[in-house]
Amino acid sequence: MVQMDILIKNGKIVLPDKVFDGDVFIKNGKIACIDKNLNEDAKIIDATGKVVMPCGIDAHTHLEMPFMGAFSTDDFYTGSNAALYGATSAVIDYAMQTKDESLKSTVEKWQKKAEKSLVDTFFHVAVVPPVENIIDELEDIKKMGINSIKCFLAYKGSLMVDDEGFLKLMCKAKELDMVVCIHAEDGEEIEKNTEKLIKEDKFAPKYHAESRPAELEAKSVRKVIKMARETGAKVYFVHISTFEAIKEIQKAKEEGLEIYAESCPQYFLLDETLYEKEDFEGAKYVMSPPLRTKEDVESLQYALKQGWVDVIATDHCPFNYEKEKQMGKDDFRKIPNGIPGIETRMSLMLDLMVNRLGLSLIDFVKLNCSNPAKIFGIKNKGAIKECNDAEMAIFDMNKEWIISSDLLHENVDYTPFEGIKLKAKPEMIVFRDKIIELK
Ligand code: URP
Ligand code: ZN
Ligand code: ZN
């Protein structure tokens, strides 16, 4: 195959430690040279006035995942295509174990599904109870290149693991140097709240949020931090939605624990008033953890500015409003939890972090591109650096646009970010030896 060499000229290039005005030369799909006034026999891209950054890595996706009686509607082909349109060139998807399935078989199943992915696809393995049964299998998947394991402390009766099993799993993960990803919400308390709401005949989507108040996230985070202290395991909290929880995580980091906080665009940009939408529209925002108050949104933005967030991922888990979400028309417990976001993350966060909160392009790249690679051991990606894979996005930071589901490629009938105005749009990506214009 003849590979095309590419020369990006005169861009504002976001390097790991500085923004550099110059050129990037790509040879055989790798970054060969970063300098000024390069002159190579290659396909030229004029990036004058544009920002050149690494493509994103989305460390939290659920593609083609069976969940709550449905399948998330993006498969690895449609989801990865949408990812590319959103300037994301790699994903770490959650391979979901089914009851009594071996972890090796879980990974093989997900590897098979991901054969149609257009982007490099990595996996965390999410385990189901009883966890004791699979602890000895962690070694098998570590050998298969899996560096992270996930447990849910929510979804009682299906995914929720018990504390004893979880602690044993953390010990084994420490021994194998694997990262423990954790969905921290107190599943027992959520169950009690849900039963109470149902007894009171409260079935509308907004009661999903009422059943999972903010303090149950912080409570669960505190419990896990205690376990991290006891075991020394590396812990990565997924989709943190509250200031209280992120503050606990920050305190634990300052104590010296190796702990990471992930959050998602929805928790920085949307709030719980959306559950009040007419008819059943609130179902579009049913996810776990749920959207929080406006004050929570502001304080989470404050945490972002303080540098307390390590990774921005999407938790992309789309279900059509007109189809799968309708399963819960009469009962919020049956609404499949999850929202789309794989295509909008980079633009939304670039606009929020750089244009609105005054953070730097370097900060943006850290949280959306390089930290996911560092934390989960992905080599040669997430940074514009010689020898790395040439996966770069060219952004127009002056391009104003309004998010609309009609413009997106996600395989779902809505976007929760509909109508949000932005000033940051990816125009083109260089994906190794290919140039993809984003229309
Ligand atoms: O509502 C959500 N977040 N759905 C996906 C599964 C999970 O909890 O991450
Ligand atoms: Zn979760
Ligand atoms: Zn998730």
Side-chain angles (χ1 to χ4, degrees):
M1 192 173 76
V2 182
Q3 290 196 302
M4 180 173 53
D5 293 339
I6 300 167
L7 180 58
I8 304 175
K9 293 282 299 170
N10 302 320
K12 200 174 162 74
I13 304 163
V14 189
L15 302 178
D17 56 350
K18 64 177 180 211
V19 178
F20 173 76
D21 290 318
D23 311 338
V24 188
F25 176 51
I26 295 131
K27 192 162 185 64
N28 300 330
K30 297 269 183 198
I31 298 172
C33 186
I34 305 155
D35 210 335
K36 285 190 189 286
N37 305 318
L38 289 176
N39 196 357
E40 302 285 344
D41 179 20
K43 168 89 186 154
I44 306 282
I45 297 172
D46 178 11
T48 307
K50 305 287 158 61
V51 170
V52 182
M53 62 173 69
C55 281
I57 298 178
D58 190 342
H60 188 156
T61 65
H62 300 282
L63 298 171
E64 218 177 315
M65 181 178 79
F67 191 47
M68 298 183 72
F71 272 86
S72 58
T73 56
D74 262 317
D75 64 17
F76 280 88
Y77 176 76
T78 62
S80 60
N81 184 50
L84 282 175
Y85 273 96
T88 288
S89 67
V91 301
I92 319 180
D93 197 76
Y94 281 95
M96 287 288 307
Q97 185 203 9
T98 51
K99 197 163 170 45
D100 298 327
E101 185 185 32
S102 77
L103 299 190
K104 184 167 178 279
S105 147
T106 305
V107 175
E108 284 167 352
K109 204 195 287 171
W110 248 259
Q111 282 171 336
K112 181 94 199 123
K113 287 186 197 218
E115 278 172 9
K116 53 181 183 271
S117 178
L118 301 173
V119 302
D120 275 345
T121 302
F122 305 87
F123 303 103
H124 316 277
V125 175
V127 299
V128 296
V131 173
E132 273 90 347
N133 293 1
I134 54 82
I135 287 179
D136 290 338
E137 297 177 31
L138 291 187
E139 242 158 301
D140 300 340
I141 58 166
K142 175 80 187 177
K143 283 185 196 136
M144 295 168 89
I146 304 295
N147 295 325
S148 41
I149 190 90
K150 178 182 189 183
C151 289
F152 295 88
L153 297 183
Y155 307 120
K156 186 170 159 61
S158 57
L159 303 174
M160 190 175 106
V161 303
D162 63 275
D163 292 356
E164 212 179 307
F166 181 50
L167 196 67
K168 285 186 189 153
L169 178 131
M170 283 175 97
C171 289
K172 190 71 185 178
K174 161 74 182 162
E175 191 186 312
L176 297 173
D177 194 29
M178 291 174 91
V179 180
V180 180
C181 300
I182 183 77
H183 174 137
E185 279 187 299
D186 186 326
E188 294 286 352
E189 290 296 320
I190 292 168
E191 190 63 16
K192 282 188 212 154
N193 293 341
T194 305
E195 275 168 22
K196 185 166 174 289
L197 288 162
I198 296 304
K199 273 198 195 124
E200 293 165 1
D201 273 345
K202 292 174 170 167
F203 291 101
K206 66 178 176 189
Y207 297 113
H208 166 78
E210 210 172 300
S211 72
R212 322 174 81 96
E215 61 269 19
L216 296 189
E217 182 174 66
K219 184 177 173 209
S220 183
V221 162
R222 276 193 287 275
K223 179 172 82 177
V224 176
I225 288 174
K226 195 161 168 277
M227 290 167 151
R229 213 176 274 126
E230 279 168 38
T231 60
K234 283 187 224 174
V235 173
Y236 177 94
F237 287 100
V238 300
H239 52 44
I240 289 296
S241 64
T242 59
F243 183 69
E244 209 184 329
I246 206 129
K247 222 165 69 186
E248 293 291 348
I249 295 169
Q250 185 57 25
K251 272 199 306 200
K253 285 181 192 167
E254 285 164 12
E255 195 189 303
L257 302 185
E258 187 166 353
I259 297 205
Y260 302 100
E262 172 201 275
S263 191
C264 315
Q266 51 270 29
Y267 301 117
F268 295 108
L269 294 163
L270 308 177
D271 67 70
E272 64 177 13
T273 56
L274 290 161
Y275 293 119
E276 298 292 345
K277 282 195 155 206
E278 300 252 298
D279 300 323
F280 184 57
E281 288 242 356
K284 290 181 175 175
Y285 310 93
V286 166
M287 68 192 89
S288 295
L291 298 176
R292 305 300 187 182
T293 62
K294 282 190 167 58
E295 294 72 42
D296 278 318
V297 169
E298 273 172 27
S299 53
L300 210 59
Q301 289 184 2
Y302 168 82
L304 183 63
K305 273 190 89 163
Q306 296 306 304
W308 296 355
V309 178
D310 300 290
V311 171
I312 309 283
T314 61
D315 195 11
H316 180 77
C317 188
F319 297 103
N320 288 302
Y321 173 64
E322 293 295 349
K323 194 169 173 214
E324 292 82 9
K325 291 279 187 186
Q326 299 295 324
M327 288 161 52
K329 187 99 186 97
D330 302 315
D331 184 343
F332 72 84
R333 292 172 299 175
K334 298 186 181 145
I335 304 171
N337 287 196
I339 62 163
I342 203 166
E343 192 170 350
T344 44
R345 174 185 67 133
M346 292 285 278
S347 298
L348 282 170
M349 292 312 294
L350 193 48
D351 186 63
L352 175 69
M353 289 180 71
V354 177
N355 296 342
R356 290 171 51 198
L357 299 180
L359 288 158
S360 71
L361 287 164
I362 297 166
D363 293 327
F364 171 83
V365 163
K366 244 187 226 156
L367 270 55
N368 291 278
C369 318
S370 51
N371 277 358
K374 271 192 202 142
I375 295 168
F376 295 109
I378 296 174
K379 302 221 161 48
N380 304 327
K381 287 190 195 292
I384 301 189
K385 213 164 98 179
E386 281 168 18
C387 301
N388 266 11
D389 293 342
E391 293 171 10
M392 281 169 281
I394 300 177
F395 267 88
D396 183 345
M397 293 300 292
N398 292 311
K399 178 82 181 172
E400 294 188 14
W401 66 297
I402 300 176
I403 293 190
S404 149
S405 135
D406 296 343
L407 298 174
L408 302 179
H409 302 79
E410 296 166 341
N411 186 35
V412 61
D413 62 3
Y414 78 102
T415 169
F417 305 107
E418 186 77 33
I420 293 186
K421 276 191 193 150
L422 302 175
K423 209 169 152 205
K425 197 166 193 302
E427 270 198 339
M428 181 186 282
I429 59 172
V430 170
F431 187 62
R432 307 194 205 135
D433 64 335
K434 293 186 190 63
I435 296 169
I436 306 175
E437 303 245 12
L438 307 174
K439 291 271 159 17

